[in-house]
Amino acid sequence: MELIRKYFPELTEDQLSKFEKLEELYKDWNLKINVVSRKDIDEIYLRHVIHSLGIAKVQKFNPGSKILDVGTGGGFPGIPLAIMFPESTFHLVDSIGKKIKVVDEVSEGLGLENVTSFNQRVEELNDNYDFIVSRAVAIMPTFVRWVKGKIAKDSNHDRRNGILYLKGGDLSEELKDYRTAEIFELSEFYEEDFFDTKKVVYLPMKYKG
């Protein structure tokens, strides 16, 4: 929790309470359904929560925004972002049912009313979103193909609608065909060594009706 307070001092008491409760819920559910490694669960704020909130350092979601989290796993980055932006709606999708079970239980335990989950492939969704977020579930060309046609027509932010993707390492080859992509180094926001190679990739996308 020290990291949460350190990097997000503007949080309300309600948000801080939810972030504090999050660790207990994940540790409890991880004993029943293993969705986070043992090492990661012991450092859940560093490796999952703060990492997920790297997206919030790059983009603030306006009230009424619709955000899709693809391949959410146990709920990252979607659940931390849903706590951070309670007036935005978050749709979390994963093809593995047991992971969505954890998402549902943690969301309920935290009292999150702005989270909806789907146990299906993202290609099967029929909805449009302001932003699509994810955490390294596939290389960018594959991911772009998965989410094609899922971007809303009208933008509610200064930044155009598109993808906000948490990735690590050298992305030059993966992004060579995406000239409009912007890369934000998380080491510019966080000082811990864990973030030295971590990035947020923003890729604007056109609406396709």
Side-chain angles (χ1 to χ4, degrees), residues 46-148:
L46 174 72
R47 293 172 171 266
H48 292 281
V49 180
I50 291 293
H51 188 206
S52 295
L53 294 177
I55 289 173
K57 290 291 189 184
V58 172
Q59 178 65 53
K60 307 295 183 190
F61 298 132
N62 293 333
S65 302
K66 280 176 62 179
I67 315 299
L68 175 65
D69 177 7
V70 176
T72 188
F76 300 101
I79 284 179
L81 290 171
I83 297 173
M84 179 67 68
F85 300 104
E87 295 181 10
S88 296
T89 302
F90 291 83
H91 291 184
L92 280 53
V93 62
D94 202 287
S95 60
I96 299 175
K98 70 176 184 177
K99 293 183 177 180
I100 290 298
K101 168 74 171 171
V102 173
V103 167
D104 290 342
E105 295 294 341
V106 170
S107 296
E108 185 177 339
L110 294 173
L112 293 176
E113 297 180 356
N114 60 334
V115 172
T116 308
S117 69
F118 302 92
N119 176 208
Q120 60 189 132
R121 295 168 58 86
V122 65
E123 298 96 320
E124 298 165 356
L125 288 178
N126 293 309
D127 210 344
N128 289 356
Y129 301 87
D130 296 287
F131 288 100
I132 298 173
V133 302
S134 190
R135 192 164 66 153
V137 294
I139 60 170
M140 189 61 86
T142 301
F143 190 77
V144 169
R145 190 174 71 249
W146 286 352
V147 302
K148 190 175 180 180

